[in-house]
Structure formats: C-alpha cells, structure tokens
Amino acid sequence: MRIHIKQVSASVRIIETLLSLMILVFISPILLLKAIHLKMTSGKVFETLYIHSTKTEPIPLLQFSDSKFSSLLGLLNVIKGELGLVGEQYQYAVLPYHDYLVRPGLMSFKQMHARMGISYDHYVINPKLNTSAGCYLLATLRCLLGYTLSSRVIYSAQKQFSLFKVTISNMTMNDAISCVINSAKTSQCDSYAFVNADCMNIAYKNQQYRQILNQNKHVFADGSGLRLACKLQRIALKDNVNGTDMFPLLCQQAAEHGVGIFMLGAKTDIANKAAAKMQLRFPQLRICGTHDGYFSAQQTEAVINTINASGAQILLVAMGAPTQERWIAEHSAKLNVGAAIGVGGLFDFYADSVSRAPVAVRQMGMEWTWRLMQEPKRMWRRYVVGNPLFVMRVFTELVQQKIFNSKSEPTANLGELQNAAINFQNANSTAATEQTLSMLGKNLHQVNHKKYQWFFLKIKLNLIAKRLLDIFGSSALLLLLSPLFLLTALAIRFESKGAVLFSQTRAGQDNQPFTMWKFRSMFNDAEARLAKLQSENEMRGGVLFKMKQDPRITQVGKWIRKLSIDELPQLWNVLKGDMSLVGPRPALPSEVNQYQLSDRRRLMVKPGITCIWQVSGRSDIPFDKQVELDVDYIYQQSLVKDIQLLFKTIPAVLFARGAY
C-alpha cells in the first residue's frame, strides 16, 4: 500500500532537472573514464539496483559495478522525475516497504544527520519541500554542503583516541548518557568533561588542564573540529557528544530513573530559568537545587554543603573551561554526587539567554558560525584565530607522529640527510644539505635528531598545505566555472568538428609521464602540420614551439588561448594530483629530450598551471629565462608564495600579456 504524496511543483522539477543536467555535463568525462576503466579491468561496467517508489513498481537505479561515483548515476533518475535531488532516504526493494512522507531523494537529511554524528537529533522534513522552489533549492544546497563536509567512509571505530596527549572517549550519545546515569547511582564521584576545538587549544598549552582531563572517567568529543581530527586519524567518531544536545536527553533519563540534578554556574537566575524549562518539559524531573557561579573562595565550602544537602546525584557545573574542570577536580572528594560534569555555557541556551543555531546550520557542522555572529567581539578570537590554529596543530601532531614513528635511530648521518632532502623535493640536494647542517649548527657527520626532524617537518607541512590549497582551490574553481566550461565546449564544437577536449602526454614530477587535459584550440590535423612549421618557430632556444600567427589555431582557440580558458581543464589534473595550481609548466617529452642537465631542475617538483614566468610575460620570455624563473620558484616555494602568484595570475590573464 502506497500513500499519496503531494504533487511536485513545476518550478521544483525545472530546478532539479537543470541542476542534474549541469552536474552530469560537468562530470561526464569522469563517468566516461570510470566506465572505460571498469570495462578494461573487470569487463562489467554497470549493475542495476531496485528501490521502493511511491508507486507500486520499484525504481531501477543504475550503478557502476564498484561503489565509487555510483551515486552520481542516480541523477538520471532525477531527470526522469523518479527521485528528487533531496528528499526522504530511499529504501531498497529487497527490504520491507515503509511509507515515504515525502518523495525519496538522492540525498536525505537523515543520512546527513548520521554522517555528521547527530543522528540522535530528530529532524522533521519540511512538508513544502517539493512544492516551494525556494525551499527545495535551499535544502539542496544545504545537503550538498553537508555531504561535502562529511564522509561516508568508515574507518576503525576504536573506543578511545588521543589528541594533544588527552585521552578522548569515542561513544554514542546514548552510551554516554547511560554511563552518566550509572555513575549517578554510585557513592563515588565520577567526573566527566566535554572538549571542543577551543578546549583542545587550551589543553595543547596547559599541562595542568591536560592532566585534569585525563583524570576524568570519560572525555566526550564535542563539535566538528574533533570530527575532523578523527577523520584525519582514520577513526570513525560515533557521535557528536556535546552538552547542549545531551542536556534534555539526560534530563529525560534522569526523570525516568529518579535521579536528581543540581545546576551550578552561570549568572544569577540563569540556572533557575533553565531548570524551570526542563521541569516543564519533564514533570517527573527532580531539580534538587541551583546556584550561580559567582561566589568567592571563602563561600565554596557553603556551596558544597548546599549541593550535598540537596540530595542531588548529578552535578552540572557551568563555569567555562578550564575553570569548571579544575573546580570539580579540586572538590570531587567532598561532593556526595555520583557524577559531576563540566557543561560550559549550556545553561544560557536553555534559559534563552543565548539562541541555539538552527538544525540546518548544525547539520553542516557550522554551529560555531552562529555563535560568532551572536557575539563577535567575545568569540572572534576563539573561532577566527582558534579554529585554524587547531587544524594546524592537528596536522602538526599527525605529521610528527608519522615522522617519529618511521625513525628508530636517535641520530642521522649525512647520507640520510641528503636522501631526505631529495625526498622533500629540493632541487639541489648537496647545497640544501650543507645549508641544513649550517642552520642546525652541527658537523657533517651527525646532527641532533629532534632538530633534524623539525626542519623537515616544516617542509612536510608546507607540502601538505600546498596539496590542501590544490584540492580546495581546484574543486571550488571546477564548480564555479562549470557554466564557462559548457559555453566553451559548445563554441569549440560549433566552429569545428572533433573532440572538445584535447589530451596530451606531459612530463610530470621526476619526469614521470601523465595525461594533461586542455580545451582544443587547434584544428584536428594540428600535429600533422607541425613539422612543416618548425622553421617558423619564434621561440628563442629551440626547445619550445611558439608562433604568434599559428595557422593551426581556430578562431575560438585564439580567444580561449588569449584568456587562458584552454588551460582550465587542467584543474582536473590538479585535483587528481598530477599537477599543482602553482609550479613549472609541464613540458612535452620531446621537449625534455632537448633539455640540458641544468634545465632538468624544473622537473624536480610537481608541474603547475601558473608560476613566476607566467605572470612575468608568459610566451615573450625565452626558454632559458623560463628555466631560471622556475628554479627560483623551487627555492622560494611556500603557501604564501603560491597565494601571491595566484593573485598575480589574474591581471596577467585579463591583460593577456604574452599570450598566443
């Protein structure tokens, strides 16, 4: 039996069809390459799964024979109107059918909840989802962002993990609440803490705070920052166990088990208001008492006596980290409660002193942006400075672990140092090694191991930062420029028959060949006509071939070359890792064969879309000077230098200086 679902409006159908077509056109080369690869390796390209529809007949869902990119083929079902881009999570036909509340979609908020670790938080689907174009578009964009930020890859789900020398428990929200309730029924005081990115930044520098956290029975991972850290450590974080979400769920369980709660902290009357709201929500809940957090050291004994006399079994302390954890650690022996928890600014949320971020924001792991908008003066340092600092420290710790785990010897000799220098893409290993030893202040036979590790750690961090810039930069540009890709492809195809894209083997890092992609700017017989034109080469040095009035170039080709549009498909090479956004231009193997030994230095790093000579005159610069500029970049390369060159590329492209 299928229930009737409200008809999808024409405007929603137009939006989802156009978006699906745009995405399919944009990713069609990827899907084609995937199909060719599967045909050549396994022989089987596609398989068909069946899912329940709102009608009697199931929906056939085309999939690749392996999972990668398979969900993208579901866009065909969206175009046919069988699925939405966003909707309720679809059900496989081999399982029992349950009525859909709205039309099933490729993306669902239920699935995104699970991927972001907030599956315990119920989400109500907007009934206007398929009838309001604005509602549908916002929901689609929100899901796209959430799916991008989260991951469906399952790693090891270990019970605890270490970050900045703090042991953090990996638990579901239900398990965490059960643990607190069980502690509440004991006579010994067990302490608990929540840690987010800001808490971990404090713990990174504060040894006493780290020690106190490690004395807790459990430390819960709170927020998207900890989720990112787990993802980098290849750990599946079970849930986002944060105090704000836990509080009402804990109150519900406490009411059912007859466990009393005392609320200590925040400003005057804030705890009272939060307690009153919870008692209205759960009439059986026992709030044994409240007290503000503004009391002197001399009043501490009286406050503890009040807590003990109240008969409470759970104590919630809202004084902010690390003050609340320190207070619990100092006085837990005197407290008669079974569980004491530091909860930060929790009371303010439930007293309506501070508003909670909407579910839509929390789904994307961006609740911190809501707090920043509410209190920018107080929160800017925590989030604008603290969040990037936390990410940098996570990367640093991971790289240090990797490097130190791979080295068992306490010292390094000159040969090891030279090999490491080569591995870290230095263009002149001997000179770099001597410079390294000079910086470390050691002789040529032995260097201090820690300083040696730290020197190369900085190089490794720069490489990681460069790769992250490549991934995020190329992904964003591929998405933003997709309409330009489509228009360019149509213009090329309209002027001359043949493939829109042109592929060519180029020399990559260490002279390793790879396939580079460009928009076709020449006629199909361009390669055959090249031999006849070699005598008219205008590029000094003879290695590269350039002509300002090259007869092989089409009219559309002249424009896309002048504006460097023909190079844009190389963003795919950047995303794959064959190229970088910034680096020496990739050479043809035939050009590399003509290189002198000194010219081969430009092959020591990953090739790029732009570099120093591209922003300094492009084709007007002779080859020997290009090599010098590329080698200069190799010695100077850094994240800041790359960003500067990317910004300089914009006017170089707009003014088309040296482009032909």
Side-chain angles (χ1 to χ4, degrees):
M1 183 70 180
R2 301 291 194 271
I3 63 168
H4 175 72
I5 290 179
K6 194 174 291 186
Q7 188 69 29
V8 179
S9 69
S11 57
V12 168
R13 283 290 298 128
I14 292 171
I15 287 173
E16 65 185 15
T17 302
L18 288 176
L19 284 174
S20 299
L21 284 170
M22 285 178 61
I23 295 171
L24 277 175
V25 169
F26 176 65
I27 64 171
S28 56
I30 303 173
L31 300 181
L32 181 60
L33 290 172
K34 172 77 173 180
I36 294 171
H37 172 73
L38 289 174
K39 184 66 177 176
M40 294 177 65
T41 54
S42 65
K44 185 179 180 182
V45 180
F46 300 110
E47 62 183 14
T48 303
L49 301 177
Y50 290 89
I51 61 175
H52 288 299
S53 69
T54 56
K55 300 176 183 178
T56 306
E57 294 298 321
I59 298 171
L61 197 64
L62 193 65
Q63 303 265 290
F64 284 120
S65 57
D66 69 2
S67 60
K68 203 166 188 180
F69 302 124
S70 284
S71 59
L72 296 174
L73 296 178
L75 293 169
L76 298 171
N77 298 88
V78 177
I79 293 171
K80 291 191 289 184
E82 297 172 335
L83 294 174
L85 282 171
V86 62
E88 193 167 351
Q89 188 169 357
Y90 57 73
Q91 308 166 35
Y92 291 105
V94 294
L95 300 174
Y97 171 76
H98 299 283
D99 287 336
Y100 290 112
L101 299 178
V102 296
R103 184 180 52 154
L106 288 182
M107 299 180 291
S108 73
F109 288 106
K110 180 180 179 181
Q111 191 176 60
M112 189 166 68
H113 261 55
R115 287 168 63 161
M116 294 302 292
I118 54 173
S119 54
Y120 53 80
D121 196 347
H122 181 64
Y123 176 77
V124 179
I125 298 175
N126 191 332
K128 296 181 180 179
L129 178 65
N130 291 314
T131 57
S132 168
C135 178
Y136 186 84
L137 186 59
L138 287 174
T140 301
L141 294 175
R142 195 162 74 242
C143 265
L144 281 172
L145 181 58
Y147 272 65
T148 303
L149 293 174
S150 63
S151 174
R152 65 179 181 142
V153 178
I154 302 300
Y155 302 128
S156 64
Q158 57 196 63
K159 293 183 179 180
Q160 61 184 30
F161 60 96
S162 178
L163 183 65
F164 304 167
K165 300 179 182 179
V166 175
T167 301
I168 302 171
S169 299
N170 185 11
M171 308 178 74
T172 65
M173 180 67 83
N174 289 335
D175 287 343
I177 293 171
S178 296
C179 193
V180 173
I181 293 295
N182 290 335
S183 290
K185 297 176 181 179
T186 64
S187 58
Q188 182 181 352
C189 180
D190 292 328
S191 56
Y192 297 84
F194 301 93
V195 289
N196 53 26
D198 181 57
C199 296
M200 295 309 297
N201 278 335
I202 297 171
Y204 187 87
K205 299 186 295 183
N206 190 326
Q207 183 179 0
Q208 183 193 34
Y209 181 43
R210 287 200 303 272
Q211 291 173 345
I212 291 173
L213 287 175
N214 286 327
Q215 291 169 5
N216 282 270
K217 183 170 184 178
H218 287 294
V219 177
F220 302 126
D222 172 6
S224 53
L226 273 294
R227 179 164 291 276
L228 172 63
C230 285
K231 187 175 178 180
L232 293 172
Q233 293 192 49
R234 305 186 70 81
I235 298 169
L237 189 61
K238 295 178 180 178
D239 267 340
N240 175 12
V241 183
N242 62 87
T244 314
D245 285 339
M246 178 187 278
F247 185 47
L249 300 173
L250 179 63
C251 288
Q252 181 182 15
Q253 289 293 313
E256 292 176 2
H257 288 82
V259 172
I261 295 176
F262 194 100
M263 298 168 64
L264 172 66
K267 296 179 181 178
T268 306
D269 289 335
I270 293 293
N272 285 331
K273 291 179 181 178
K277 285 186 176 294
M278 282 298 108
Q279 285 192 308
L280 282 174
R281 189 167 171 180
F282 306 107
Q284 301 302 315
L285 176 65
R286 284 196 304 120
I287 300 293
C288 299
T290 64
H291 197 289
D292 65 72
Y294 294 85
F295 54 88
S296 64
Q298 292 74 20
Q299 297 172 305
T300 300
E301 197 69 31
V303 171
I304 293 173
N305 291 335
T306 301
I307 295 168
N308 291 338
S310 71
Q313 294 156 283
I314 296 176
L315 172 64
L316 305 181
V317 183
M319 297 179 180
T323 304
Q324 59 198 17
E325 285 78 20
R326 188 183 301 121
W327 192 91
I328 292 171
E330 289 176 359
H331 305 293
S332 60
K334 299 178 182 178
L335 293 167
N336 292 337
V337 297
I341 315 172
V343 295
L346 183 150
F347 299 166
D348 292 310
F349 288 116
Y350 289 94
D352 294 332
S353 177
V354 176
S355 67
R356 185 84 192 274
V359 175
V361 177
R362 293 166 50 220
Q363 284 170 339
M364 299 180 291
M366 304 294 285
E367 188 169 7
W368 63 271
T369 60
W370 186 265
R371 292 296 312 277
L372 181 61
M373 287 189 295
Q374 288 181 308
E375 302 176 88
K377 289 184 179 179
R378 190 169 77 87
M379 295 294 184
W380 74 269
R381 188 178 297 276
R382 174 186 294 188
Y383 296 125
V384 177
V385 177
N387 284 358
L389 184 63
F390 171 76
V391 173
M392 185 194 75
R393 285 170 170 168
V394 170
F395 272 113
T396 302
E397 182 171 275
L398 288 173
V399 174
Q400 283 179 326
Q401 287 176 358
K402 190 171 183 180
I403 291 177
F404 281 98
N405 288 342
S406 65
K407 300 291 182 179
S408 57
E409 295 297 325
T411 59
N413 58 37
L414 177 60
E416 292 171 333
L417 198 58
Q418 287 174 327
N419 289 333
I422 292 171
N423 290 336
F424 284 107
Q425 302 179 322
N426 212 305
N428 189 327
S429 62
T430 305
T433 304
E434 292 175 356
Q435 181 183 9
T436 303
L437 295 173
S438 175
M439 290 174 61
L440 298 178
K442 298 291 178 180
N443 59 46
L444 292 178
H445 298 288
Q446 201 171 55
V447 295
N448 180 276
H449 182 62
K450 289 187 176 180
K451 289 185 178 180
Y452 156 79
Q453 296 283 15
W454 175 242
F455 176 77
F456 287 106
L457 172 62
K458 290 190 289 185
I459 300 175
K460 183 65 174 177
L461 288 175
N462 181 65
L463 295 178
I464 292 173
K466 184 179 179 69
R467 182 59 186 147
L468 287 174
L469 176 65
D470 287 342
I471 292 172
F472 289 116
S474 59
S475 301
L477 288 171
L478 282 169
L479 186 62
L480 292 172
L481 297 175
S482 55
L484 179 61
F485 276 60
L486 181 58
L487 291 174
T488 304
L490 292 173
I492 293 170
R493 194 69 180 83
F494 182 78
E495 182 182 10
S496 64
K497 293 182 179 181
V500 169
L501 292 174
F502 172 72
S503 65
Q504 198 173 46
T505 300
R506 294 290 181 111
Q509 183 179 357
D510 299 326
N511 202 22
Q512 293 299 309
F514 73 97
T515 301
M516 189 187 79
W517 294 93
K518 299 176 72 171
F519 278 121
R520 181 171 61 84
S521 60
M522 293 184 174
F523 292 103
N524 286 323
D525 61 345
E527 291 295 324
R529 294 159 63 180
L530 177 60
K532 298 178 181 179
L533 299 171
Q534 285 289 358
S535 60
E536 301 180 48
N537 188 3
E538 298 173 10
M539 175 59 70
R540 284 178 290 169
V543 176
L544 304 179
F545 179 85
K546 290 284 184 180
M547 284 182 65
K548 288 186 177 180
Q549 300 297 326
D550 194 329
R552 301 173 299 158
I553 300 175
T554 64
Q555 290 299 315
V556 172
K558 290 178 182 178
W559 280 101
I560 63 175
R561 280 181 166 227
K562 197 172 187 66
L563 297 173
S564 296
I565 295 173
D566 63 319
E567 309 286 357
L568 292 179
Q570 289 161 41
L571 291 168
W572 172 244
N573 291 106
V574 175
L575 189 59
K576 283 177 59 185
D578 297 327
M579 294 175 61
S580 178
L581 289 173
V582 181
R585 287 296 294 155
L588 290 165
S590 59
E591 295 170 351
V592 174
N593 290 337
Q594 301 177 60
Y595 279 5
Q596 299 179 24
L597 187 60
S598 60
D599 298 336
R600 290 179 175 267
R601 290 176 296 171
R602 69 199 305 259
L603 301 174
M604 295 296 293
V605 297
K606 193 178 292 186
I609 294 179
T610 187
C611 203
I612 297 176
W613 69 268
Q614 278 86 359
V615 302
S616 306
R618 299 165 80 175
S619 297
D620 290 338
I621 299 177
F623 176 72
D624 56 347
K625 183 63 175 176
Q626 291 178 15
V627 174
E628 289 181 21
L629 292 174
D630 284 341
V631 173
D632 284 344
Y633 167 75
I634 291 171
Y635 283 111
Q636 300 174 30
Q637 61 177 316
S638 67
L639 182 62
V640 174
K641 184 69 175 177
D642 283 4
I643 294 173
Q644 289 175 344
L645 287 171
L646 288 172
F647 276 109
K648 288 180 179 180
T649 301
I650 298 172
V653 170
L654 293 177
F655 292 108
R657 183 175 53 182
Y660 55 87

